[in-house]
Amino acid sequence: MWRTVARRMIIMVPQIILLSILVFLMAKAMPGDALTGLLDPSIDPAALDAQREKLGLNNPWYVQYWDWITKAVQGDFGQSFRFKMPVSDLIGQRMMNTVWLSLATLILTYLIAIPLGITSGRYHDTWADRLITGYTYLGFAAPLFIFALLMLWVFGFHFGWFPTGGSIAPGVESGTLHYVISKFYHLLLPALSMALITTVTTVQLLRSEIIDTKQKDFIITARAKGASESRVYHRHILRNSLLPIAAFFGYEITGLIGGTVFIESIFSYPGMGELFLSSISLRDFSVVTALVLLYGVASILGALISDMILSIVDPRIRIK
């Protein structure tokens, strides 16, 4: 399997190169440039042109791309015009907040989805199944940003049960138990808001797999041999139904990272998503291109992780 993984990673190289070119060209297609809106409008146009020449903004796109990608490979994504600091340091400060938010959302998603999916699939065509299916239909219909705004208004502003912004309470000392509790408290509502929407896909997938597996010949044979219903479900139906969930795990991770863009903006949570949207509005090109490239690489790696997990949990499948 490791030889196959190495071959897939080699294939990823041209994919990432093509992705980086597309990211750079889309960033250059945005109106204005990195200096737009950041300088005094009354500045001498000659001085402005000199600054653009100094920064290489007047060079052909392929020259600018080569300068950017050669530095990016070394971990240098340039300087943020907004924060006046290296982009790699800026992303490093925000990355852990996004990672913790994504991890909390992932845990909540499976804690909610697996019991609901098992219940709905095992007792399909009952009132429990209809209630769970109704919840998933509402989840599919509700846009994530609308639902997040509703959760913020109800539990943040109306009841005041959760903070409405930030990732830590002011004045809390880092490294203390109070710091950990405050960190968890601030990410709980954003994570729950995203989990209640993202979980519906997993619930429906697990429900469908359980219903389909119950009708397989080997399940009928197990029942004919006198196996108990509990044994049939846990050793045969559930075990086989969880395979697609395992295969979807890598895509779930990358999807959550992308979904945090909206959640972090709505809850004013200082992560990479909030940084991404604010950088677009301020035309901070160095930050935008670096973040889009990181998101794209994460998606490519997620596909590889999903294939690896599926090949491990199901011996019949081998990635090639």
Side-chain angles (χ1 to χ4, degrees):
M1 184 181 72
W2 296 111
R3 185 178 300 175
T4 304
V5 172
R7 185 166 59 248
R8 288 283 295 273
M9 294 186 70
I10 293 174
I11 297 175
M12 286 168 50
V13 174
Q15 293 177 332
I16 294 175
I17 293 175
L18 178 60
L19 172 66
S20 67
I21 295 175
L22 292 176
V23 167
F24 187 82
L25 290 178
M26 285 189 294
K28 297 299 293 183
M30 293 172 62
D33 56 29
L35 295 180
T36 304
L38 295 179
L39 296 178
D40 188 347
S42 62
I43 192 173
D44 183 10
L48 187 60
D49 290 339
Q51 185 68 12
R52 285 195 171 95
E53 187 68 30
K54 179 181 178 182
L55 295 174
L57 299 177
N58 293 331
N59 293 334
W61 71 267
Y62 50 87
V63 176
Q64 295 184 51
Y65 168 76
W66 180 253
D67 292 339
W68 172 70
I69 197 63
T70 51
K71 293 179 181 178
V73 171
Q74 304 172 33
D76 180 10
F77 291 98
Q79 196 84 1
S80 169
F81 287 92
R82 176 190 176 194
F83 293 94
K84 309 300 182 184
M85 63 183 298
V87 174
S88 55
D89 294 343
L90 179 60
I91 294 177
Q93 293 176 1
R94 302 291 190 98
M95 182 178 294
M96 286 313 300
N97 283 338
T98 298
V99 169
W100 285 118
L101 177 59
S102 300
L103 181 61
T105 304
L106 188 66
I107 293 173
L108 289 173
T109 296
Y110 283 102
L111 287 178
I112 297 171
I114 291 179
L116 291 182
I118 292 174
T119 302
S120 183
R122 183 169 184 175
Y123 305 105
H124 71 284
D125 290 335
T126 63
W127 280 108
D129 176 38
R130 293 188 183 97
L131 288 174
I132 295 172
T133 303
Y135 156 66
T136 60
Y137 288 160
L138 288 175
F140 281 123
L144 176 59
F145 64 92
I146 296 294
F147 182 75
L149 285 171
L150 180 63
M151 292 284 286
L152 177 63
W153 181 81
V154 172
F155 298 106
F157 290 104
H158 184 68
F159 291 111
W161 292 349
F162 294 95
T164 58
S167 64
I168 196 71
V172 177
E173 184 178 352
S174 178
T176 62
L177 179 61
H178 188 199
Y179 179 88
V180 176
I181 295 174
S182 178
K183 199 82 171 176
F184 175 76
Y185 185 50
H186 278 72
L187 67 82
L188 185 58
L189 184 60
L192 184 61
S193 300
M194 188 158 54
L196 288 174
I197 295 297
T198 57
T199 192
V200 297
T201 302
T202 307
V203 171
Q204 282 284 19
L205 180 60
L206 184 55
R207 175 186 182 273
S208 300
E209 286 296 325
I210 290 177
I211 294 175
D212 181 64
T213 305
K214 286 195 300 185
Q215 302 172 10
K216 299 291 186 182
D217 291 340
F218 70 93
I219 300 298
I220 299 174
T221 302
R223 286 197 174 107
K225 289 182 177 180
S228 65
E229 197 66 17
S230 176
R231 181 181 177 86
V232 169
Y233 264 96
H234 289 90
R235 290 185 61 88
H236 299 289
I237 296 178
L238 184 59
R239 184 176 181 180
N240 286 276
S241 300
L242 288 174
L243 292 178
I245 306 299
F248 196 66
F249 181 77
Y251 295 103
E252 193 82 45
I253 295 175
T254 56
L256 287 174
I257 294 176
T260 56
V261 172
F262 299 104
I263 292 294
E264 290 176 0
S265 179
I266 291 170
F267 287 90
S268 300
Y269 189 80
M272 293 195 300
E274 190 271 340
L275 175 65
F276 176 65
L277 290 181
S278 62
S279 298
I280 290 178
S281 63
L282 293 174
R283 296 183 178 86
D284 199 343
F285 292 99
S286 299
V287 178
V288 172
T289 51
L291 287 174
V292 174
L293 182 61
L294 289 177
Y295 285 141
V297 172
S299 299
I300 295 173
L301 290 176
L304 177 60
I305 292 172
S306 294
D307 290 342
M308 291 176 61
I309 292 175
L310 186 57
S311 68
I312 292 173
V313 299
D314 190 351
R316 300 169 300 175
I317 300 175
R318 289 291 180 265
I319 56 177
K320 297 181 180 180

